[in-house]
Structure formats: structure tokens, C-alpha cells
């Protein structure tokens, strides 16, 4: 259902000036083209007034100057897989598709850095660096389709972020275009660099609200020797989280640690290559990587810890085919839940690891209270739990109840020392729920205080004969 709140009027003069910047071929106003850009990974649909596909940073700069003169909103868009509506044209305006800027500009295997345009697809980049024996770890479950620009804008995470960190940890520098068309470079091309304020980190995770990312310098690491996957099941989430501290106490950091709760397990029992006893209801997927004896040690120690902590059995998926089968189930879990229900609302709250059992037990209670069936799965090692509320009916009352339940889940997460989103961002779907996070003094709140503070510093430097630009850059 299309539901624009307001529709920004686009004057003909604006369209013709834009056409002279980008060429007729890359400015779309035909209804079928606009419809092709009215969606993202949410169920919402908003029709843009125009869609443009620039090829260069200079074109984006001119587009931004023009749009700010005419006060027309511009919405940057990568692959449109975002799940919080950030790439949707809620007020119409211009969708700026970055998918034509899809070149890997450089992979330097000596310095272990790469330079890419924002429209490069994560999977294609991973494959390209793998050929040079290098590794780019950020791997959102959408990695086969999502863009590096979108990953940067959302600070995307993924299963392998437990050991290797999120997108933020792999961005050294950016080229960005500001709302007034200013082109700016942030950060460095080196693995170290401390000069000036860290504007790169300000842009990462800013969801396209501060600037358009037009180029990125990415940090790479050597490709791990070999990766194997262990699959095991536990009686409950408490015993499962108990194993985690035992694993790290043994100086082992698994490359990935993903769990599925009992409701999830029930719908995938026949899709996974392990027989799970009926009284073992929580599934754990563990990736271990390394070389030779050290990898063997990890497998033995982790396997024993799981069994000692009450796991049923430990299955080793050592061939790439078996691993792929397992990870496909995990990566497609969002879709698998959707296939089994008529209504689904998914949140990605994050809590300190020791609070995961409390989070899950209380989410189940909240879901039950509001009449939902609750599916929990996600990145155990990061405390990042995908909490899903589902219902066999879909109507206005169910949607309203899900809003109440979501608010309680957000309050719960924050009260446990967590946050309302670990990787999906705020977008349009969570902006009315920011207050619990803000009350807790988290990043959003500190940002509000920081902005006036930054302006004061910039002003002072400016008046000490330094330009505000050099201070901020
Ligand atoms: C099946 C599925 C699984 C997913 N799994 C994960 C997961 O495991 N981890 C995770 O973190 N996310 C996950 N996501 C969410 C989504 O894939 C990520 O947020 C991804 O980073 C979005 O990339 P995109 O290219 O699709 O961006 P889009 O959806 O096009 O845009 C997302 C946001 O980024 C902004 N943006 C896009 N490009 C730029 C740019 N160049 N400059 C400035 N702003 C820009 C947009 O304005 C928007 O606000 C999943 C989504 C789906 C559908």
C-alpha cells in the first residue's frame, strides 16, 4: 500500500536542470520506474517524485546544490534491503540511487586497504578480496544483495562481527557530499591516523541523514586459514550462555556464535543436518577459524565445553557444502518466519551478553501478554537478539498491539543496559521509540549535547585564524 505523508512538488525547471546535469537517460519520472523504487526491506511503500542514477561524485554534488536551492528532499539509496525504512521517500522528493557507482577502484594487497564506490555489493567485494588472500569480515545476512554504501550508512553487522567487529571497524576514510553540495574527504588511507576530529565515525551509522557516501577506503585483513562450523543444541538459553564464558576463558574467540530459540528450532528441525532431541530446544551455530593444530585445539575445547554444559551432541560441518547448507538456513531465517505467519514484527535489540537470558524470558512474557508468538534468534556473541512478534492474523489492532509490545521490549532492553537497535538502525520505523535509549544517556542523547559543543569549538578555532573547514576535516 502506497502512503506518502506529503508529496513534495517537483517544479519542471528543477527536473530540466537536473536532466542537464545527469543526462536524460538517468533521470526517471515514469510511473513504472518510480514504483520500482518505492520499497525497501520493510512492508512500507512510498512513491518518490523522481529517481536519479548519477555516475560521479561531481554529479551528486551538483544534484545536492540544486536540491537544496529548491528545498527538495533527496534520499540516498543503495540496494534497498534496509529494514527500517531509511531509503523510503516518505515525502516524495528525489531517490538518489547509488548502484551505478559500483566500481572497486583499488585493492592494495600490500597495504591491505581497498577503495570502493558505494554501490559495490558486499558479496562481490568479499569475493574480489578473497582472490588476493584478503578478508573483509562485515557480513550482514543480506550480504549477497546489500551495498557497501548502505552497510556504512547503517554500520551493518553480521554473524562474523563477534570476532571481527562491525562495518565501522573496517572503514578508514570516506569521500562524502554534504547537503549543500560540498565534497569532503574524511579519515585516512593508512591503518593509523589521529589528526583532527573523527568525522568518518560520525558518518558511519548516520543512515544517510548527514551526508552521501560517494567513496570509501576499507581496511582488510588476511583471509583466515580454514573455517569449520559446529552445530549443537542445549536444553535452554541459560545453559547455552553459560558455555560462552567458558569458551572465552579458554582463550578462544569463535568467528561466529549464532543461536535460535525453541520456537525457531521447531520450524527448522527438518531443514538442518542434525537430529535435535525434543527436550533440547535451543540451537547454537559456532564458526571457528584458524590453522592446523590450533584449529584442532579450538574444535576439541569448544566441543567439550558444550557437552560439559549440557549440550546434546556436537556436529562438525567441515565441508563448504555442509557449512553453506547450515548458514543458508540461518541467513534466511527472517524469510522462514515470514512464510510461517501472516504478521511479523522484528526488532534487533542488543543487551550485555549476561543479560540475554533475562531479555529472552521477558520478551516471551511480553509477547504472550499481547497475544503474539515470539521467535528469538541472532548474534549471541554480540548480545544482539532478533526479537520477532508474530500472529496468524493481520489487522489494525494487531499492528497497534505490536507497537505496545515493541515499546515494552525496547524499555526492557534499555533497562538491562542495552539499546533498541544493534544493527538495523532507526530509519522511520523506530524514530518514535528513541526515548528509552535517550533516557539511558546512550549515543543519541550524548549527540544532542555534543552538537552545540562542537559548534562552539569550531567557532573558537575559526576566530583563532583557522578555518572551520580545516578544524572539522
Ligand atoms: C534478509 C535481510 C537480512 C538482513 N540482515 C542483516 C544483518 O545481518 N545485519 C545488518 O546489519 N543488517 C541486515 N539487514 C538490513 C540491511 O540489509 C542492511 O541495513 C544493509 O546495510 C542495507 O544496505 P542497502 O545497500 O540495502 O541500503 P539501503 O536499504 O538502500 O539504505 C539503507 C540506509 O542507508 C542509506 N544509504 C544507502 N546508501 C547510502 C550512501 N551511499 N550514502 C549515505 N547513505 C546511504 C539510505 O538512505 C538508508 O537510510 C538485512 C536485511 C534483509 C532484507
Amino acid at each position: 500500500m502506497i502512503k506518502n505523508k506529503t508529496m513534495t512538488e517537483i517544479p519542471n525547471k528543477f527536473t530540466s536542470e537536473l536532466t542537464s546535469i545527469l543526462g536524460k537517460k538517468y533521470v526517471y519520472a515514469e510511473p513504472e520506474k518510480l514504483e520500482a523504487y518505492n520499497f525497501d526491506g520493510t512492508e512500507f511503500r512510498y512513491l518518490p517524485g523522481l529517481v536519479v542514477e548519477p555516475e560521479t561524485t561531481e554529479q551528486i554534488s551538483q544534484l545536492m546544490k540544486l536540491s537544496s536551492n529548491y528545498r527538495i528532499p533527496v534520499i540516498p539509496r543503495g540496494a534497498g534491503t534496509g529494514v527500517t525504512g531509511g531509503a523510503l521517500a516518505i515525502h516524495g522528493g528525489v531517490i538518489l540511487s547509488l548502484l551505478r557507482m559500483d566500481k572497486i577502484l583499488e585493492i592494495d594487497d600490500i597495504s591491505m586497504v581497498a577503495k570502493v564506490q558505494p554501490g559495490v555489493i558486499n558479496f562481490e567485494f568479499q569475493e574480489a578480496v578473497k582472490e588476493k588472500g584478503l578478508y573483509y569480515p562485515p557480513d550482514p545476512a543480506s550480504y549477497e544483495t546489500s551495498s557497501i554504501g548502505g552497510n556504512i550508512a547503517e554500520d551493518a553487522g553480521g554473524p562474523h562481527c563477534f570476532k571481527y567487529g562491525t562495518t565501522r571497524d573496517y572503514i578508514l576514510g570516506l569521500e562524502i557530499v554534504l547537503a549543500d553540495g560540498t565534497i569532503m574527504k574524511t579519515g585516512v588511507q593508512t591503518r593509523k591516523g589521529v589528526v583532527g576530529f573523527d568525522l568518518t565515525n560520525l558518518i558511519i551509522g548516520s543512515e544517510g541523514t548527514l551526508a552521501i557516501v560517494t567513496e570509501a577506503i576499507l581496511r582488510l585483513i588476511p583471509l583466515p586459514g580454514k573455517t569449520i562450523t559446529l552445530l549443537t543444541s542445549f536444553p535452554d538459553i541459560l545453559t547455552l550462555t553459560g558455555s560462552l564464558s567458558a569458551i572465552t576463558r579458554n582463550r578462544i574467540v569463535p568467528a561466529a556464535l549464532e543461536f535460535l530459540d525453541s520456537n525457531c528450532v521447531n520450524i527448522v528441525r527438518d531443514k538442518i543436518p542434525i537430529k535435535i532431541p525434543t527436550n533440547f530446544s535451543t540451537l547454537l551455530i559456532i564458526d571457528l577459524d584458524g590453522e592446523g593444530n590450533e584449529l584442532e585445539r579450538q574444535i576439541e575445547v569448544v566441543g567439550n565445553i558444550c557437552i560439559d554444559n549440557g549440550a546434546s551432541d556436537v556436529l562438525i560441518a567441515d565441508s563448504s557444502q555442509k557449512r553453506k547448507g547450515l548458514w543458508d538456513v540461518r541467513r534466511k531465517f527472517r524469510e522462514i518466519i515470514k512464510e510461517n505467519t501472516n504478521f511479523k514484527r522484528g526488532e534487533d535489540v542488543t543487551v550485555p551478553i549476561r543479560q540475554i537470558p533475562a531479555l529472552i524470558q521477558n520478551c516471551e512474557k511480553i509477547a504472550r501478554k499481547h497475544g503474539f508468538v515470539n521467535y528469538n534468534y541472532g548474534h549471541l556473541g554480540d548480545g544482539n537478539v532478533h526479537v520477532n512478534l508474530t500472529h496468524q492474523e493481520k489487522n489494525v489492532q494487531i499492528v497497534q498491539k505490536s507497537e505496545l509490545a515493541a515499546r515494552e521490549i525496547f524499555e526492557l532492553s534499555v533497562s538491562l543496559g542495552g539499546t533498541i537497535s544493534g544493527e538495523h538502525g532507526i530509519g522511520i520505523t523506530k524514530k518514535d521509540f528513541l526515548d528509552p535509549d535517550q533516557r539511558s544517556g546512550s549515543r543519541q542523547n550524548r549527540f544532542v549535547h555534543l552538537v552545540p559543543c562542537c559548534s562552539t569549538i569550531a567557532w573558537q578555532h575559526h576566530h583563532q585564524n583557522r578555518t572551520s573547514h580545516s578544524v572539522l576535516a
Side-chain angles (χ1 to χ4, degrees):
M1 185 182 57
I2 310 264
K3 49 171 201 175
N4 291 62
K5 288 192 174 143
T6 54
M7 198 68 187
T8 310
E9 201 193 319
I10 303 213
N12 289 341
K13 193 159 179 294
F14 172 81
T15 310
S16 67
E17 283 182 53
L18 200 53
T19 306
S20 67
I21 296 168
L22 295 169
K24 199 162 180 259
K25 199 170 161 207
Y26 297 109
V27 179
Y28 312 112
E30 303 82 2
E32 62 280 8
K33 259 290 188 190
L34 301 183
E35 267 172 39
Y37 288 85
N38 73 6
F39 72 96
D40 68 351
T42 65
E43 60 178 311
F44 302 114
R45 302 286 176 268
Y46 291 95
L47 207 60
L50 280 180
V51 174
V52 298
E53 283 186 326
E55 197 183 16
T56 66
T57 302
E58 186 50 42
Q59 286 176 338
I60 294 179
S61 164
Q62 290 183 45
L63 156 71
M64 295 311 289
K65 270 183 209 149
L66 189 67
S67 306
S68 85
N69 286 345
Y70 280 85
R71 307 214 47 80
I72 290 178
V74 176
I75 304 98
R77 179 186 171 96
T81 67
V83 287
T84 52
L88 295 176
I90 53 172
H91 301 292
V94 179
I95 288 277
L96 161 55
S97 167
L98 289 136
L99 290 188
R100 259 180 90 216
M101 293 178 70
D102 62 352
K103 308 214 172 25
I104 298 174
L105 301 170
E106 188 185 347
I107 299 173
D108 178 343
D109 54 356
I110 293 180
S111 309
M112 291 197 290
V113 295
K115 196 183 279 185
V116 301
Q117 291 188 316
V120 171
I121 299 302
N122 180 310
F123 169 74
E124 283 162 19
F125 181 62
Q126 295 213 17
E127 290 297 298
V129 299
K130 202 189 280 177
E131 276 176 25
K132 294 186 179 264
L134 295 169
Y135 183 36
Y136 176 71
D139 61 341
S142 58
Y143 80 120
E144 286 178 344
T145 45
S146 64
S147 71
I148 297 285
N151 293 171
I152 293 170
E154 298 285 356
D155 185 18
H160 293 92
C161 294
F162 174 54
K163 180 168 184 176
Y164 293 106
T166 63
T167 302
R168 186 182 296 283
D169 298 301
Y170 293 86
I171 311 299
L172 294 170
L174 296 172
E175 178 188 78
I176 53 174
V177 178
L178 304 182
D180 66 355
T182 305
I183 300 172
M184 204 167 160
K185 302 256 186 198
T186 73
V188 287
Q189 309 196 33
T190 47
R191 296 177 81 84
K192 288 171 95 176
V194 294
V195 179
F197 297 129
D198 189 353
L199 291 188
T200 307
N201 259 313
L202 183 63
I203 300 301
I204 299 165
S206 65
E207 303 185 27
T209 58
L210 296 180
I212 293 154
V213 174
T214 49
E215 214 173 274
I217 298 162
L218 309 179
R219 184 170 79 89
L220 304 170
I221 59 174
L223 195 62
K226 187 177 177 195
T227 305
I228 62 104
T229 302
L230 304 183
L231 183 65
T232 183
S233 61
F234 285 83
D236 54 49
I237 190 74
L238 202 60
T239 46
L240 187 151
T241 33
S243 311
L244 179 56
S245 55
I247 292 171
T248 47
R249 268 201 309 274
N250 275 276
R251 294 172 285 109
I252 294 172
V253 183
L257 263 178
E258 299 282 302
F259 83 99
L260 303 178
D261 78 357
S262 54
N263 281 343
C264 296
V265 170
N266 285 338
I267 53 174
V268 291
R269 252 175 218 282
D270 56 347
K271 291 189 172 66
I272 45 179
I274 180 174
K275 203 163 164 34
I276 308 167
T278 42
N279 54 338
F280 283 75
S281 55
T282 310
L283 199 71
L284 181 63
I285 304 172
I286 309 168
D287 261 11
L288 297 171
D289 61 12
E291 305 268 4
N293 290 345
E294 173 50 23
L295 183 58
E296 292 301 323
R297 180 187 85 87
Q298 290 188 43
I299 297 169
E300 197 183 325
V301 172
V302 171
N304 287 339
I305 288 172
C306 290
I307 299 290
D308 291 349
N309 278 275
S312 57
D313 196 0
V314 179
L315 181 100
I316 302 180
D318 48 3
S319 73
S320 55
Q321 203 184 357
K322 276 192 207 153
R323 288 193 64 232
K324 186 173 179 314
L326 251 180
W327 277 105
D328 275 354
V329 173
R330 163 59 191 92
R331 289 209 165 96
K332 299 202 169 101
F333 210 74
R334 210 169 167 268
E335 269 58 47
I336 295 175
I337 296 180
K338 270 191 191 162
E339 283 161 18
N340 280 272
T341 184
N342 290 317
F343 173 85
K344 168 186 168 310
R345 181 186 185 114
E347 303 299 347
D348 76 312
V349 292
T350 303
V351 293
I353 296 165
R354 70 164 64 244
Q355 301 287 15
I356 291 178
L359 176 78
I360 290 182
Q361 282 154 8
N362 285 299
C363 281
E364 281 166 3
K365 282 188 199 153
I366 293 170
R368 250 198 320 275
K369 185 175 98 185
H370 292 281
F372 293 102
V373 178
N374 174 216
Y375 294 85
N376 301 301
Y377 66 93
H379 317 300
L380 181 79
D382 299 322
N384 185 192
V385 180
H386 294 293
V387 178
N388 290 276
L389 303 168
T390 70
H391 207 284
Q392 287 312 336
E393 282 174 44
K394 185 176 181 182
N395 55 44
V396 180
Q397 285 79 22
I398 299 292
V399 173
Q400 284 169 348
K401 277 188 188 178
S402 80
E403 306 249 306
L404 292 176
R407 183 168 286 281
E408 287 177 34
I409 288 166
F410 292 146
E411 297 272 0
L412 168 68
S413 170
V414 171
S415 75
L416 293 171
T419 175
I420 68 172
S421 177
E423 56 185 22
H424 292 165
I426 299 304
I428 57 167
T429 61
K430 267 182 265 183
K431 73 180 170 46
D432 295 336
F433 296 99
L434 269 173
D435 48 321
D437 242 39
Q438 292 192 342
R439 278 202 306 275
S440 79
S442 72
R443 247 197 289 172
Q444 292 291 340
N445 193 16
R446 276 182 262 133
F447 180 69
V448 173
H449 294 293
L450 199 64
V451 170
C453 183
C454 279
S455 322
T456 314
I457 294 168
W459 187 86
Q460 284 168 350
H461 279 263
H462 184 73
H463 286 269
Q464 286 160 6
N465 291 333
R466 294 175 64 175
T467 67
S468 58
H469 179 79
S470 67
V471 172
L472 292 174

